Amino acid sequence: MSEQTRAQVRTQGRTARRVVIVGAGMAGVQTAVALREQGFTGDVTLIGAEPHQPYDRPPLSKAVLLGKAEGSAFDIDFEALGIELRLGCEALGLRPADHELDTEAGPVPYDVLVLATGAEPIQLPGAQGVPGVHLLRTLDDAERLRPVLAQQHDIVVVGAGWIGAEFATAAREAGCAVTVVEAADRPLAGALPAEVAAPMTAWYADSGASLRTHARVERVEPGAVVLDDGSRVPAGAVVVGIGARPATAWLAGSGVELGAHREVVADSHLRTSVPDIYAVGDCASFPSGRYEERLLVHHWDNALQAPRTVAANIIGEAPAAYDPVPYFWSEQFGRFVQYVGHHAPADSTIWRGDPSGAAWTVCWLRESRLVALLAVGRPRDLAQGRRLIEAGMPMNPDILADPSRPLKDATA
Protein backbone atom coordinates (compact mmCIF):
# COMPACT_ATOMS: atom_id res chain seq x y z
CA MET A 1 0.00 0.00 0.00
CA SER A 2 1.43 3.38 -1.02
CA GLU A 3 1.67 6.29 1.38
CA GLN A 4 -0.99 8.11 -0.67
CA THR A 5 -3.35 5.14 -0.32
CA ARG A 6 -2.67 4.97 3.41
CA ALA A 7 -3.53 8.65 3.70
CA GLN A 8 -6.81 8.08 1.84
CA VAL A 9 -7.72 5.21 4.18
CA ARG A 10 -6.96 7.39 7.19
CA THR A 11 -9.09 10.21 5.80
CA GLN A 12 -12.01 7.86 5.08
CA GLY A 13 -11.73 6.29 8.52
CA ARG A 14 -11.79 9.66 10.25
CA THR A 15 -14.55 11.39 8.31
CA ALA A 16 -16.62 9.24 6.00
CA ARG A 17 -18.68 7.11 8.36
CA ARG A 18 -21.49 7.33 10.86
CA VAL A 19 -20.82 5.26 13.95
CA VAL A 20 -23.81 4.16 16.04
CA ILE A 21 -23.13 2.66 19.48
CA VAL A 22 -25.84 0.59 21.17
CA GLY A 23 -25.49 0.73 24.94
CA ALA A 24 -24.68 3.77 27.07
CA GLY A 25 -22.76 2.08 29.88
CA MET A 26 -19.01 2.24 30.40
CA ALA A 27 -18.14 0.31 27.22
CA GLY A 28 -20.41 2.37 24.97
CA VAL A 29 -19.46 5.71 26.46
CA GLN A 30 -15.74 4.97 26.31
CA THR A 31 -16.02 3.84 22.69
CA ALA A 32 -17.61 7.17 21.77
CA VAL A 33 -14.99 9.14 23.69
CA ALA A 34 -12.11 7.07 22.27
CA LEU A 35 -13.32 7.73 18.73
CA ARG A 36 -13.09 11.46 19.33
CA GLU A 37 -9.78 11.21 21.18
CA GLN A 38 -8.31 9.26 18.26
CA GLY A 39 -9.44 11.85 15.75
CA PHE A 40 -12.66 10.48 14.29
CA THR A 41 -14.67 13.39 12.85
CA GLY A 42 -17.73 11.59 11.52
CA ASP A 43 -21.09 11.31 13.28
CA VAL A 44 -21.19 9.43 16.59
CA THR A 45 -24.56 8.43 18.06
CA LEU A 46 -24.84 6.77 21.47
CA ILE A 47 -28.11 4.94 22.14
CA GLY A 48 -29.11 3.95 25.68
CA ALA A 49 -32.19 2.09 26.89
CA GLU A 50 -32.30 3.95 30.21
CA PRO A 51 -33.54 7.55 30.39
CA HIS A 52 -30.72 8.67 32.70
CA GLN A 53 -27.54 10.44 31.68
CA PRO A 54 -24.90 7.71 31.14
CA TYR A 55 -23.46 6.63 34.48
CA ASP A 56 -20.85 4.40 36.07
CA ARG A 57 -22.05 1.21 37.78
CA PRO A 58 -19.56 0.41 40.60
CA PRO A 59 -20.83 3.21 42.90
CA LEU A 60 -24.36 1.74 42.73
CA SER A 61 -23.48 -0.98 45.26
CA LYS A 62 -21.62 1.48 47.47
CA ALA A 63 -22.06 5.27 47.68
CA VAL A 64 -25.31 5.54 45.70
CA LEU A 65 -26.93 2.63 47.54
CA LEU A 66 -26.04 4.08 50.94
CA GLY A 67 -27.21 7.58 50.04
CA LYS A 68 -23.70 9.03 50.10
CA ALA A 69 -24.06 10.08 46.46
CA GLU A 70 -27.12 10.97 44.40
CA GLY A 71 -25.81 9.40 41.24
CA SER A 72 -22.71 8.42 39.31
CA ALA A 73 -23.10 10.17 35.95
CA PHE A 74 -19.96 10.31 33.84
CA ASP A 75 -18.25 13.69 33.91
CA ILE A 76 -18.25 13.99 30.14
CA ASP A 77 -19.47 16.86 27.98
CA PHE A 78 -21.07 14.84 25.20
CA GLU A 79 -22.27 17.96 23.38
CA ALA A 80 -18.79 19.45 23.29
CA LEU A 81 -17.44 16.18 21.88
CA GLY A 82 -20.12 16.10 19.21
CA ILE A 83 -21.63 12.87 20.51
CA GLU A 84 -25.37 12.58 19.96
CA LEU A 85 -27.21 10.96 22.88
CA ARG A 86 -30.45 9.10 22.35
CA LEU A 87 -31.56 8.01 25.80
CA GLY A 88 -34.61 6.01 26.86
CA CYS A 89 -34.40 4.33 23.48
CA GLU A 90 -34.26 0.54 23.49
CA ALA A 91 -32.77 -1.44 20.62
CA LEU A 92 -35.26 -3.95 19.23
CA GLY A 93 -33.50 -5.57 16.32
CA LEU A 94 -30.87 -5.33 13.64
CA ARG A 95 -30.98 -5.52 9.83
CA PRO A 96 -27.37 -5.72 8.62
CA ALA A 97 -28.32 -5.95 4.95
CA ASP A 98 -29.91 -2.50 5.25
CA HIS A 99 -27.30 -1.19 7.70
CA GLU A 100 -30.15 -0.23 10.03
CA LEU A 101 -30.78 -0.64 13.73
CA ASP A 102 -34.42 -0.95 14.80
CA THR A 103 -35.31 0.95 17.99
CA GLU A 104 -38.43 2.00 19.87
CA ALA A 105 -38.12 5.37 18.18
CA GLY A 106 -37.77 3.93 14.70
CA PRO A 107 -34.89 2.74 12.48
CA VAL A 108 -31.41 4.23 12.86
CA PRO A 109 -29.03 3.95 9.88
CA TYR A 110 -25.36 3.26 10.49
CA ASP A 111 -22.13 2.81 8.58
CA VAL A 112 -20.44 1.15 11.53
CA LEU A 113 -22.30 -0.30 14.51
CA VAL A 114 -20.83 -1.06 17.94
CA LEU A 115 -22.68 -3.49 20.22
CA ALA A 116 -22.15 -2.49 23.86
CA THR A 117 -25.39 -3.60 25.53
CA GLY A 118 -23.64 -5.18 28.51
CA ALA A 119 -25.18 -7.87 30.67
CA GLU A 120 -28.47 -8.23 32.49
CA PRO A 121 -29.04 -9.90 35.86
CA ILE A 122 -30.36 -13.44 35.99
CA GLN A 123 -33.81 -13.54 37.56
CA LEU A 124 -34.67 -15.88 40.42
CA PRO A 125 -37.21 -18.36 38.98
CA GLY A 126 -40.70 -17.72 40.32
CA ALA A 127 -39.74 -14.45 42.03
CA GLN A 128 -40.46 -12.00 39.23
CA GLY A 129 -43.16 -9.56 40.25
CA VAL A 130 -43.15 -10.68 43.89
CA PRO A 131 -43.27 -7.58 46.14
CA GLY A 132 -40.04 -6.92 48.00
CA VAL A 133 -37.78 -8.78 45.54
CA HIS A 134 -35.00 -6.63 44.11
CA LEU A 135 -32.09 -6.74 41.67
CA LEU A 136 -29.07 -4.44 41.76
CA ARG A 137 -27.88 -3.55 38.29
CA THR A 138 -29.24 -0.11 37.38
CA LEU A 139 -29.52 3.32 38.95
CA ASP A 140 -33.26 2.76 39.37
CA ASP A 141 -32.52 -0.51 41.22
CA ALA A 142 -30.21 1.31 43.62
CA GLU A 143 -32.73 4.06 44.24
CA ARG A 144 -35.46 1.51 45.02
CA LEU A 145 -33.15 -0.20 47.49
CA ARG A 146 -32.09 2.96 49.32
CA PRO A 147 -35.21 3.22 51.51
CA VAL A 148 -35.05 -0.53 52.18
CA LEU A 149 -31.64 -0.08 53.75
CA ALA A 150 -32.65 3.13 55.49
CA GLN A 151 -35.56 1.33 57.19
CA GLN A 152 -33.19 -1.43 58.32
CA HIS A 153 -35.27 -4.30 57.04
CA ASP A 154 -34.29 -7.93 57.56
CA ILE A 155 -32.69 -8.68 54.21
CA VAL A 156 -32.07 -11.99 52.46
CA VAL A 157 -29.42 -11.91 49.74
CA VAL A 158 -29.66 -14.77 47.24
CA GLY A 159 -26.19 -15.56 45.94
CA ALA A 160 -22.76 -15.22 47.56
CA GLY A 161 -20.92 -13.99 44.48
CA TRP A 162 -19.22 -10.63 44.05
CA ILE A 163 -22.40 -8.54 43.87
CA GLY A 164 -24.06 -10.47 46.71
CA ALA A 165 -21.07 -9.87 48.99
CA GLU A 166 -20.91 -6.17 48.07
CA PHE A 167 -24.60 -5.66 48.73
CA ALA A 168 -24.42 -7.59 52.03
CA THR A 169 -21.53 -5.31 53.03
CA ALA A 170 -23.58 -2.18 52.33
CA ALA A 171 -26.65 -3.59 54.10
CA ARG A 172 -24.63 -4.39 57.23
CA GLU A 173 -23.14 -0.89 57.14
CA ALA A 174 -26.70 0.45 57.04
CA GLY A 175 -27.59 -1.59 60.14
CA CYS A 176 -29.72 -4.26 58.48
CA ALA A 177 -29.88 -7.88 59.60
CA VAL A 178 -28.52 -9.84 56.62
CA THR A 179 -28.77 -13.51 55.67
CA VAL A 180 -26.99 -14.65 52.53
CA VAL A 181 -28.19 -17.93 51.00
CA GLU A 182 -25.95 -19.71 48.53
CA ALA A 183 -26.78 -22.91 46.63
CA ALA A 184 -23.12 -23.95 46.41
CA ASP A 185 -20.91 -25.09 49.26
CA ARG A 186 -18.98 -21.79 49.49
CA PRO A 187 -18.95 -18.15 48.41
CA LEU A 188 -17.70 -17.34 44.91
CA ALA A 189 -18.03 -20.95 43.83
CA GLY A 190 -18.17 -19.98 40.16
CA ALA A 191 -15.12 -17.75 40.33
CA LEU A 192 -12.54 -19.23 42.70
CA PRO A 193 -11.30 -22.71 43.74
CA ALA A 194 -12.61 -24.06 47.03
CA GLU A 195 -9.35 -23.55 48.93
CA VAL A 196 -9.18 -19.91 47.88
CA ALA A 197 -12.82 -19.09 48.60
CA ALA A 198 -12.83 -20.94 51.94
CA PRO A 199 -11.13 -18.15 53.98
CA MET A 200 -13.74 -15.70 52.72
CA THR A 201 -16.53 -17.63 54.42
CA ALA A 202 -15.47 -16.22 57.80
CA TRP A 203 -15.80 -12.66 56.52
CA TYR A 204 -19.58 -12.92 56.62
CA ALA A 205 -19.73 -13.85 60.31
CA ASP A 206 -17.09 -11.25 61.15
CA SER A 207 -19.36 -8.57 59.69
CA GLY A 208 -22.45 -9.86 61.50
CA ALA A 209 -24.03 -11.38 58.38
CA SER A 210 -25.31 -14.95 58.34
CA LEU A 211 -24.13 -17.15 55.46
CA ARG A 212 -26.08 -20.31 54.63
CA THR A 213 -24.49 -22.55 52.01
CA HIS A 214 -26.06 -25.60 50.32
CA ALA A 215 -29.23 -23.49 50.49
CA ARG A 216 -31.47 -23.38 47.44
CA VAL A 217 -34.49 -21.11 47.31
CA GLU A 218 -37.73 -23.04 46.89
CA ARG A 219 -39.92 -19.94 46.72
CA VAL A 220 -40.31 -16.39 47.97
CA GLU A 221 -43.36 -15.51 50.04
CA PRO A 222 -44.40 -12.16 51.53
CA GLY A 223 -42.04 -11.68 54.46
CA ALA A 224 -39.98 -14.85 53.99
CA VAL A 225 -37.74 -16.92 51.76
CA VAL A 226 -38.50 -20.65 51.83
CA LEU A 227 -35.50 -22.93 51.24
CA ASP A 228 -35.55 -26.39 49.70
CA ASP A 229 -35.09 -28.00 53.13
CA GLY A 230 -38.37 -26.42 54.23
CA SER A 231 -36.81 -23.78 56.47
CA ARG A 232 -38.08 -20.20 56.33
CA VAL A 233 -35.81 -17.17 56.50
CA PRO A 234 -37.52 -13.89 57.54
CA ALA A 235 -37.19 -11.30 54.79
CA GLY A 236 -38.43 -7.75 54.76
CA ALA A 237 -36.70 -7.59 51.38
CA VAL A 238 -34.92 -10.00 49.06
CA VAL A 239 -31.99 -9.04 46.84
CA VAL A 240 -31.09 -11.44 44.03
CA GLY A 241 -27.46 -11.65 42.95
CA ILE A 242 -27.09 -14.95 41.13
CA GLY A 243 -25.15 -13.74 38.13
CA ALA A 244 -25.65 -11.95 34.83
CA ARG A 245 -25.86 -12.93 31.19
CA PRO A 246 -25.07 -10.95 28.03
CA ALA A 247 -27.96 -8.72 26.98
CA THR A 248 -28.24 -10.03 23.44
CA ALA A 249 -31.78 -11.42 23.07
CA TRP A 250 -32.62 -8.48 20.80
CA LEU A 251 -30.07 -9.76 18.24
CA ALA A 252 -32.14 -12.86 17.41
CA GLY A 253 -32.36 -13.34 13.67
CA SER A 254 -29.74 -10.70 12.92
CA GLY A 255 -27.04 -13.10 11.76
CA VAL A 256 -24.63 -11.94 14.47
CA GLU A 257 -22.96 -15.06 15.85
CA LEU A 258 -23.59 -15.78 19.53
CA GLY A 259 -21.55 -18.09 21.75
CA ALA A 260 -22.32 -20.68 24.40
CA HIS A 261 -23.28 -18.01 26.94
CA ARG A 262 -25.35 -16.08 24.38
CA GLU A 263 -22.56 -13.54 24.11
CA VAL A 264 -21.52 -11.91 20.84
CA VAL A 265 -18.57 -13.82 19.41
CA ALA A 266 -15.93 -11.23 18.49
CA ASP A 267 -12.53 -11.76 16.89
CA SER A 268 -9.20 -10.45 18.17
CA HIS A 269 -10.01 -7.03 16.69
CA LEU A 270 -13.46 -7.10 18.37
CA ARG A 271 -15.22 -7.49 15.04
CA THR A 272 -18.37 -9.62 14.96
CA SER A 273 -19.33 -12.19 12.34
CA VAL A 274 -21.20 -9.46 10.43
CA PRO A 275 -19.28 -6.80 8.46
CA ASP A 276 -19.18 -3.28 9.92
CA ILE A 277 -20.31 -4.45 13.36
CA TYR A 278 -18.07 -4.53 16.43
CA ALA A 279 -18.80 -5.72 19.98
CA VAL A 280 -17.29 -4.59 23.25
CA GLY A 281 -17.69 -5.05 27.01
CA ASP A 282 -19.86 -7.50 28.95
CA CYS A 283 -21.86 -8.61 25.91
CA ALA A 284 -18.87 -9.95 23.94
CA SER A 285 -16.23 -12.67 24.15
CA PHE A 286 -12.86 -12.47 22.42
CA PRO A 287 -9.98 -14.88 21.75
CA SER A 288 -6.98 -14.46 24.03
CA GLY A 289 -3.64 -15.39 22.56
CA ARG A 290 -2.13 -14.95 26.00
CA TYR A 291 -4.40 -17.56 27.58
CA GLU A 292 -5.13 -19.58 24.43
CA GLU A 293 -8.86 -19.59 24.99
CA ARG A 294 -11.91 -17.39 24.44
CA LEU A 295 -12.64 -15.03 27.33
CA LEU A 296 -15.94 -13.50 28.43
CA VAL A 297 -15.04 -10.82 30.96
CA HIS A 298 -17.86 -9.18 32.95
CA HIS A 299 -15.78 -6.51 34.66
CA TRP A 300 -15.39 -2.75 34.63
CA ASP A 301 -11.77 -2.68 33.46
CA ASN A 302 -12.63 -4.63 30.31
CA ALA A 303 -15.35 -2.09 29.50
CA LEU A 304 -12.80 0.69 30.01
CA GLN A 305 -9.90 -0.77 28.01
CA ALA A 306 -11.49 -2.53 25.04
CA PRO A 307 -13.12 0.59 23.52
CA ARG A 308 -9.69 1.97 22.62
CA THR A 309 -9.12 -1.07 20.42
CA VAL A 310 -12.57 -0.74 18.84
CA ALA A 311 -12.00 2.94 18.08
CA ALA A 312 -8.57 2.28 16.54
CA ASN A 313 -10.00 -0.46 14.33
CA ILE A 314 -12.97 1.63 13.22
CA ILE A 315 -10.66 4.46 12.21
CA GLY A 316 -8.34 1.95 10.58
CA GLU A 317 -5.18 3.95 11.14
CA ALA A 318 -3.44 1.34 13.30
CA PRO A 319 -5.49 -1.87 13.45
CA ALA A 320 -4.97 -3.43 16.86
CA ALA A 321 -5.64 -6.79 18.50
CA TYR A 322 -7.22 -6.93 21.95
CA ASP A 323 -5.46 -9.29 24.35
CA PRO A 324 -5.61 -7.80 27.86
CA VAL A 325 -4.64 -9.10 31.26
CA PRO A 326 -8.14 -9.01 32.84
CA TYR A 327 -8.51 -7.11 36.12
CA PHE A 328 -11.24 -6.43 38.65
CA TRP A 329 -11.68 -5.45 42.26
CA SER A 330 -14.32 -5.84 44.96
CA GLU A 331 -14.80 -4.07 48.27
CA GLN A 332 -16.46 -6.39 50.76
CA PHE A 333 -16.63 -6.70 54.54
CA GLY A 334 -13.87 -4.15 55.09
CA ARG A 335 -11.48 -5.81 52.65
CA PHE A 336 -10.17 -4.71 49.28
CA VAL A 337 -10.01 -7.74 46.98
CA GLN A 338 -8.25 -7.52 43.61
CA TYR A 339 -7.83 -10.13 40.89
CA VAL A 340 -5.68 -9.92 37.78
CA GLY A 341 -5.16 -12.42 34.98
CA HIS A 342 -7.00 -15.65 34.25
CA HIS A 343 -6.42 -19.07 35.77
CA ALA A 344 -7.49 -22.61 34.87
CA PRO A 345 -8.09 -25.59 37.18
CA ALA A 346 -4.81 -27.21 36.13
CA ASP A 347 -2.69 -24.20 37.14
CA SER A 348 -0.61 -24.57 40.31
CA THR A 349 -1.41 -22.42 43.34
CA ILE A 350 1.05 -20.62 45.61
CA TRP A 351 0.03 -18.71 48.74
CA ARG A 352 1.68 -15.57 50.06
CA GLY A 353 0.66 -14.92 53.65
CA ASP A 354 -1.86 -16.37 56.08
CA PRO A 355 -5.39 -16.49 54.61
CA SER A 356 -6.85 -16.13 58.11
CA GLY A 357 -5.14 -12.75 58.40
CA ALA A 358 -6.00 -9.34 57.02
CA ALA A 359 -3.68 -9.43 54.01
CA TRP A 360 -2.70 -12.32 51.75
CA THR A 361 -2.21 -13.24 48.11
CA VAL A 362 -2.78 -16.30 45.94
CA CYS A 363 -0.71 -16.78 42.78
CA TRP A 364 -1.43 -19.14 39.89
CA LEU A 365 1.46 -20.51 37.84
CA ARG A 366 1.39 -22.25 34.48
CA GLU A 367 4.69 -23.80 33.43
CA SER A 368 6.50 -21.55 35.93
CA ARG A 369 4.93 -18.38 34.56
CA LEU A 370 2.53 -16.22 36.57
CA VAL A 371 -0.89 -16.20 34.88
CA ALA A 372 -3.19 -14.85 37.63
CA LEU A 373 -3.15 -13.37 41.10
CA LEU A 374 -5.73 -12.65 43.82
CA ALA A 375 -4.66 -10.06 46.38
CA VAL A 376 -6.51 -9.31 49.61
CA GLY A 377 -5.20 -6.10 51.17
CA ARG A 378 -1.91 -6.34 49.26
CA PRO A 379 -2.13 -3.77 46.45
CA ARG A 380 1.62 -3.83 45.83
CA ASP A 381 1.43 -7.54 45.00
CA LEU A 382 -1.34 -6.75 42.56
CA ALA A 383 0.56 -3.95 40.82
CA GLN A 384 3.77 -5.95 40.51
CA GLY A 385 1.92 -9.13 39.58
CA ARG A 386 0.09 -7.44 36.74
CA ARG A 387 3.38 -6.37 35.18
CA LEU A 388 4.86 -9.84 35.62
CA ILE A 389 1.84 -11.49 33.98
CA GLU A 390 2.10 -9.09 31.04
CA ALA A 391 5.82 -9.86 30.70
CA GLY A 392 5.29 -13.64 30.89
CA MET A 393 8.46 -14.13 32.90
CA PRO A 394 9.35 -17.42 34.67
CA MET A 395 9.00 -17.28 38.45
CA ASN A 396 10.87 -18.82 41.39
CA PRO A 397 8.13 -20.55 43.46
CA ASP A 398 10.12 -20.44 46.73
CA ILE A 399 10.62 -16.68 46.62
CA LEU A 400 7.06 -16.21 45.38
CA ALA A 401 5.73 -17.93 48.50
CA ASP A 402 7.60 -15.55 50.86
CA PRO A 403 5.21 -12.66 51.64
CA SER A 404 8.10 -10.60 53.04
CA ARG A 405 9.78 -10.51 49.62
CA PRO A 406 8.52 -8.22 46.86
CA LEU A 407 6.79 -10.15 44.12
CA LYS A 408 9.19 -8.74 41.54
CA ASP A 409 12.10 -10.48 43.31
CA ALA A 410 10.61 -13.87 42.38
CA THR A 411 11.54 -13.67 38.71
CA ALA A 412 13.68 -16.71 37.94
Side-chain angles (χ1 to χ4, degrees):
M1 183 184 292
S2 69
E3 185 55 40
Q4 181 180 3
T5 303
R6 287 193 182 94
Q8 290 172 342
V9 169
R10 286 197 293 270
T11 300
Q12 291 168 357
R14 288 180 181 277
T15 62
R17 289 181 288 183
R18 179 185 186 185
V19 177
V20 174
I21 303 164
V22 190
M26 171 63 82
V29 166
Q30 291 300 323
T31 299
V33 171
L35 281 166
R36 291 304 190 218
E37 288 179 344
Q38 295 180 32
F40 181 75
T41 56
D43 293 339
V44 177
T45 300
L46 184 63
I47 296 176
E50 296 182 55
H52 311 289
Q53 278 291 112
Y55 61 87
D56 204 6
R57 293 191 188 278
L60 299 184
S61 61
K62 304 172 185 71
V64 175
L65 186 61
L66 291 169
K68 297 178 181 178
E70 287 304 312
S72 56
F74 292 111
D75 185 17
I76 296 170
D77 190 336
F78 293 98
E79 184 176 357
L81 289 172
I83 297 169
E84 179 191 6
L85 292 182
R86 296 192 186 183
L87 304 176
C89 182
E90 186 174 358
L92 302 177
L94 176 60
R95 290 176 285 112
D98 299 324
H99 272 60
E100 284 193 337
L101 173 75
D102 289 321
T103 76
E104 289 179 324
V108 179
Y110 66 85
D111 293 313
V112 176
L113 184 69
V114 180
L115 308 177
T117 46
E120 55 194 5
I122 297 172
Q123 302 273 357
L124 183 66
Q128 290 177 267
V130 176
V133 177
H134 300 264
L135 300 168
L136 180 52
R137 182 73 181 180
T138 68
L139 180 60
D140 288 340
D141 292 337
E143 290 180 346
R144 280 190 289 266
L145 278 164
R146 265 190 190 178
V148 173
L149 267 59
Q151 293 163 21
Q152 298 187 337
H153 282 283
D154 289 344
I155 294 177
V156 173
V157 180
V158 182
W162 299 113
I163 191 64
E166 290 185 3
F167 179 81
T169 298
R172 285 298 300 139
E173 184 176 335
C176 300
V178 177
T179 301
V180 181
V181 297
E182 168 59 50
D185 61 349
R186 63 187 187 275
L188 297 167
L192 298 173
E195 67 272 18
V196 178
M200 301 176 176
T201 301
W203 299 356
Y204 288 79
D206 291 346
S207 75
S210 172
L211 173 64
R212 297 183 61 168
T213 56
H214 299 286
R216 292 185 177 276
V217 175
E218 181 71 27
R219 64 185 182 277
V220 179
E221 298 178 347
V225 171
V226 181
L227 303 179
D228 60 356
D229 63 1
S231 60
R232 297 169 59 86
V233 184
V238 178
V239 177
V240 178
I242 54 176
R245 61 168 61 95
T248 58
W250 66 281
L251 290 170
S254 68
V256 173
E257 182 185 356
L258 302 182
H261 302 282
R262 308 303 296 167
E263 85 283 7
V264 178
V265 175
D267 68 8
S268 61
H269 290 74
L270 300 179
R271 298 171 298 205
T272 73
S273 61
V274 175
D276 300 323
I277 301 179
Y278 293 78
V280 64
D282 290 4
C283 71
S285 66
F286 55 89
S288 170
R290 186 189 309 275
Y291 291 105
E292 299 182 332
E293 63 179 286
R294 180 165 287 275
L295 300 182
L296 175 59
V297 181
H298 281 190
H299 295 299
W300 184 90
D301 191 63
N302 177 52
L304 175 67
Q305 303 295 339
R308 297 167 190 165
T309 296
V310 171
N313 289 327
I314 289 173
I315 293 171
E317 186 167 314
Y322 185 61
D323 195 5
V325 175
Y327 166 76
F328 74 89
W329 79 98
S330 177
E331 295 177 76
Q332 51 185 270
F333 308 118
R335 293 165 174 85
F336 188 44
V337 183
Q338 296 172 283
Y339 178 94
V340 64
H342 175 72
H343 72 271
D347 297 330
S348 57
T349 304
I350 293 179
W351 292 79
R352 287 169 57 81
D354 182 358
S356 66
W360 46 275
T361 296
V362 179
C363 302
W364 283 271
L365 295 183
R366 183 178 305 170
E367 297 177 352
S368 82
R369 286 174 169 78
L370 187 66
V371 294
L373 179 148
L374 176 82
V376 177
R378 291 181 67 99
R380 184 174 296 179
D381 277 4
L382 190 290
Q384 293 182 9
R386 190 172 195 170
R387 290 192 289 269
L388 291 168
I389 293 170
E390 290 171 347
M393 299 180 67
M395 307 295 291
N396 182 315
D398 294 330
I399 297 176
L400 195 65
D402 184 351
S404 68
R405 300 280 298 272
L407 207 74
K408 61 184 180 181
D409 287 356
T411 52

